[in-house]
Amino acid sequence: CAKPPPAYESKYTPDTTNQLAPDPRLVVDRGNDGVLTAMFSGDSLTAGFYATTPEDAFPALVAAGLGNVNLVKAAVAHQTAVVVAGVVDVPPGLNLAVIELGTNDVGARTPLTDFRSQYRALLDKVRNKNSAAAILCLGTWTLAGDAYDGIISEECQQSGGKYVELKSLFSDE
């Protein structure tokens, strides 16, 4: 029996082993009731744009794959991290927070210092109310987002989260 690869434990400890970790799996504590409470926060992709049905949007697909999930979606389409971070109300009781931001910031050319501070503010909101939640930070959905992806990766790891780049998925038709 092969030993499974090491996984991130949902504690507030940064994983600095690999910035672009090829294994995006997280160990998420579902709690005593077995229900996973997951928040998806982001822009157009999280809102379900470009999906053929609401069930085909990535938050719904991920939730379906995870099983018994209480899905909390906090998305603002066509907006930057500045707007989303400012309006998202992060609830307590999360086991998992998935953050998908930055793509609109690339297009809007949000100054990197502004992007960093707003992304950090959203991560801080998550951590302040959910100290043991697993955090998954998704990179930008573009080929031109390297500077933003670097910030997402750094800030996510500093919050004890796991970064997953999306650029290779974007370029694969």
Side-chain angles (χ1 to χ4, degrees):
C1 182
K3 183 178 179 182
Y8 169 76
E9 304 235 350
S10 60
K11 306 289 183 225
Y12 189 54
T13 304
D15 175 7
T16 58
T17 58
N18 186 347
Q19 189 171 353
L20 301 176
D23 183 357
R25 292 180 288 182
L26 296 175
V27 175
V28 182
D29 181 10
R30 287 182 178 263
N32 294 333
D33 62 2
V35 177
L36 176 73
T37 300
M39 179 186 80
F40 286 75
S41 178
D43 53 33
S44 303
L45 292 176
T46 301
F49 277 47
Y50 312 110
T52 53
T53 67
E55 294 78 25
D56 289 330
F58 98 86
L61 292 173
V62 172
L66 293 172
N68 204 2
V69 175
N70 174 20
L71 181 62
V72 178
K73 195 162 74 168
V76 184
H78 305 301
Q79 295 299 325
T80 63
V82 172
V83 173
V84 175
V87 301
V88 168
D89 183 27
V90 176
L94 297 177
N95 305 99
L96 172 65
V98 179
I99 301 172
E100 175 273 316
L101 284 170
T103 304
N104 292 336
D105 294 277
V106 172
R109 297 188 176 133
T110 301
L112 295 176
T113 54
D114 293 348
F115 178 76
R116 182 182 297 276
S117 67
Q118 294 306 310
Y119 199 89
R120 161 64 40 210
L122 180 55
L123 290 170
D124 287 347
K125 281 184 182 181
V126 172
R127 273 292 169 232
N128 288 337
K129 291 188 177 179
N130 303 279
S131 63
I135 297 177
L136 182 64
C137 305
L138 305 180
T140 59
W141 187 251
T142 178
L143 297 177
D146 288 346
Y148 296 89
D149 287 341
I151 291 170
I152 294 167
S153 176
E154 290 169 13
E155 294 297 331
C156 189
Q157 287 184 44
Q158 287 179 16
S159 290
K162 184 85 147 188
Y163 168 78
V164 176
E165 68 104 78
L166 296 181
K167 180 171 57 174
S168 60
L169 292 174
F170 177 83
S171 62
D172 183 1
E173 294 181 21

